[in-house]
Amino acid sequence: MLESVKIARRQSEIRQALAGLVGKSDPSEDETRSMETLDAEYRSNEIRYRGALIAEDAERREAKDDLETRSERDFAELINRFELRQVALALDEGRQLDGATAEVVQEMRSQGGYRGVPVPWAALERRAGETVAAGVPDPIQTRPIIDRLFPDSVAARMGAQMINIDSGAIEWPVVTSAVSAGWASGETANVAGPTAFTTTDRPMKPDHNLGIQMRLTRKTLKQSGAALEQAVRRDMNGAIATELDRAIFLGTGADGEPLGVITGAATYGITSTDDTLNLATWGAFRSAVVRFMTGNTAGSPSAVRALIRPELWAVLDGAAIEPLNETEWDRLLRNIPAGNIAMSANALADPTGDPLETESLLTTAAGGVSPIFVGAWGGVDMIRDPYSDAQSGGLRITALTTVDVTVARPSQLQLIIGIKLELAA
């Protein structure tokens, strides 16, 4: 109990005692001495009370940061104990949620509307120590799995930042003006005139809904037990990660898809350069890196990230440079670290043309600002369908999420097109 509260309670007791003594018309000597003692104690306690309030106020100020962040840490700890198995059983059997899972669901429902059971994005992490089985989950046969949601996704490796949005649309004002300094040309001359400071809004709107469907057979629900947790998480993780990677870069902006970075390069204002060399070389990437550095968006080649097709890697690795005893791929790795290169056949379109040509996207983070923003509205909405597979006792689960994509600064991205994978016939 706080010291100030203890003193306040004692002061209340003293006032009650004094009220009883003062009400007597002819108090005895003992009662008079008691009144004097209580009065002295009351005045002394007033000083102690003020001192206790000052000390406790200092303690509150010191603990302010901890108090402000404690709720976020507590919620993160609840998500770590979130069980997707409970969600599946609640959708199938109507079983009541309990423990941390029930608390997280209740909190998410209070923040936004969900038709089914809300699932936080962080709950889709593949957690350390869990195991999964091949095919139908089997608690007897176990294998290790990866750790987190989208740890190796192309979007994450290219520096995209995922932002959680509670509701409504959101805009990111990005500076587009080129404010420059100027010297005064003489003793009484003025410096350079004012340059307008302008920004452009990069909006994200909840217009794009991504959904996946799962079919859980009766055998799976009855046989797998706790292993169903890992199986559902694994399948949801893989399906969402694969489609998000494709849509972030190749989304058409039509038929419900967001406008992808590569597809919408012209719309976003991203510089697109046609490689005119005879065959793919490090030179095409070097030119883009130079444009980054001259535009003050990258300080060195190691700050650049590259997205390429596996076919391009094969060409670069097979292009030997004599007499240096190295390949074009070796030259690329000397400047752009291997950890900054993402190879994907999903996030880049298939090579086309005759001769075959491909493309590559380069990004960099300038001033701590990510080149790509991926907005996700709320969590994953899990909706049950017990009717479609009712004859076999199965259950269908639909997982819905709302996602949009936008580019922060176009100068933080470079698109190289027309990279030749073979020579003309």
Side-chain angles (χ1 to χ4, degrees):
M1 183 183 298
L2 293 175
E3 187 65 23
S4 61
V5 176
K6 295 179 182 179
I7 296 173
R9 289 186 176 181
R10 177 56 185 161
Q11 295 293 75
S12 177
E13 294 172 357
I14 292 175
R15 286 194 296 270
Q16 290 178 355
L18 285 173
L21 294 173
V22 172
K24 293 186 177 182
S25 57
D26 188 17
S28 64
E29 293 182 1
D30 291 339
E31 291 172 336
T32 302
R33 284 194 298 271
S34 178
M35 282 190 288
E36 293 174 351
T37 302
L38 291 173
D39 179 64
E41 181 184 354
Y42 189 90
R43 283 185 275 121
S44 175
N45 284 348
E46 284 295 306
I47 298 174
R48 292 177 56 216
Y49 182 73
R50 289 194 295 270
L53 288 178
I54 294 173
E56 290 165 4
D57 181 66
E59 293 175 0
R60 289 190 186 95
R61 291 178 183 274
E62 293 175 358
K64 179 180 179 182
D65 293 338
D66 180 65
L67 293 172
E68 289 178 348
T69 59
R70 183 173 299 166
S71 60
E72 296 180 1
R73 293 202 307 270
D74 291 344
F75 189 66
E77 292 173 0
L78 286 176
I79 292 179
N80 287 338
R81 303 198 304 271
F82 190 93
E83 296 181 353
L84 278 174
R85 176 174 56 89
Q86 285 198 41
V87 176
L89 293 176
L91 295 174
D92 178 49
E93 304 172 357
R95 183 178 298 186
Q96 290 292 325
L97 301 176
D98 56 34
T101 304
E103 292 187 46
V104 171
V105 169
Q106 183 177 3
E107 176 67 20
M108 293 186 68
R109 286 194 187 282
S110 68
Q111 299 295 328
Y114 296 89
R115 290 185 55 197
V117 179
V119 177
W121 282 96
L124 297 184
E125 295 177 355
R126 279 28 115 76
R127 299 167 190 167
E130 293 179 338
T131 56
V132 297
V136 176
D138 185 350
I140 297 175
Q141 195 178 38
T142 59
R143 299 177 185 176
I145 59 175
I146 61 176
D147 298 329
R148 296 180 60 82
L149 174 67
F150 313 146
D152 296 321
S153 71
V154 176
R157 295 176 63 186
M158 292 299 289
Q161 180 181 354
M162 191 167 185
I163 302 165
N164 196 273
I165 304 170
D166 291 332
S167 61
I170 187 169
E171 291 184 338
W172 297 89
V174 178
V175 177
T176 56
S177 58
V179 179
S180 58
W183 296 92
S185 60
E187 182 179 355
T188 60
N190 296 327
V191 297
T195 304
F197 184 85
T198 58
T199 62
T200 297
D201 291 332
R202 302 293 182 186
M204 286 192 289
K205 299 180 180 180
D207 296 335
H208 313 288
N209 299 314
L210 173 63
I212 59 174
Q213 282 194 331
M214 300 180 182
R215 296 183 63 185
L216 303 180
T217 65
R218 184 172 180 82
K219 179 180 179 181
T220 300
L221 292 168
K222 301 302 180 184
Q223 173 184 340
S224 300
L228 185 63
E229 168 90 5
Q230 297 91 308
V232 171
R233 184 180 295 123
R234 177 192 61 192
D235 289 345
M236 289 183 65
N237 182 295
I240 293 176
T242 300
E243 180 54 28
L244 273 184
D245 270 344
R246 188 200 65 79
I248 289 170
F249 296 99
L250 298 178
T252 62
D255 300 325
E257 294 184 0
L259 182 60
V261 173
I262 295 176
T263 309
T267 302
Y268 292 124
I270 299 171
T271 300
S272 180
T273 306
D274 195 344
D275 182 26
T276 57
L277 298 177
N278 291 329
L279 196 64
T281 65
W282 148 246
F285 295 89
R286 181 177 55 212
S287 300
V289 171
V290 169
R291 288 193 293 272
F292 275 135
M293 297 176 68
T294 55
N296 295 322
T297 55
S300 66
S302 61
V304 176
R305 300 172 184 264
L307 172 60
I308 66 173
R309 291 271 312 185
E311 296 90 341
L312 178 57
W313 165 78
V315 172
L316 293 174
D317 193 54
I321 303 174
E322 299 295 344
L324 301 179
N325 195 26
E326 66 177 6
T327 64
E328 292 289 346
W329 180 251
D330 295 327
R331 297 177 66 192
L332 177 64
L333 292 184
R334 277 209 313 268
N335 296 278
I336 300 178
N340 286 10
I341 300 177
M343 275 189 273
S344 174
N346 177 47
L348 287 173
D350 294 337
T352 58
D354 185 16
L356 282 177
E357 294 182 348
T358 186
E359 54 193 7
S360 176
L361 179 70
L362 278 67
T363 67
T364 186
V369 179
S370 299
I372 305 167
F373 290 153
V374 181
W377 277 260
V380 180
D381 197 354
M382 300 277 281
I383 304 173
R384 69 187 294 244
D385 175 10
Y387 306 109
S388 298
D389 295 326
Q391 288 181 314
S392 62
L395 171 69
R396 291 194 186 189
I397 296 179
T398 300
L400 295 177
T401 184
T402 303
V403 178
D404 197 10
V405 180
T406 192
V407 168
R409 297 190 189 99
S411 58
Q412 292 180 235
L413 299 96
Q414 295 273 344
L415 181 62
I416 308 174
I417 63 174
I419 302 176
K420 293 179 175 57
L421 300 178
E422 59 187 11
L423 295 174

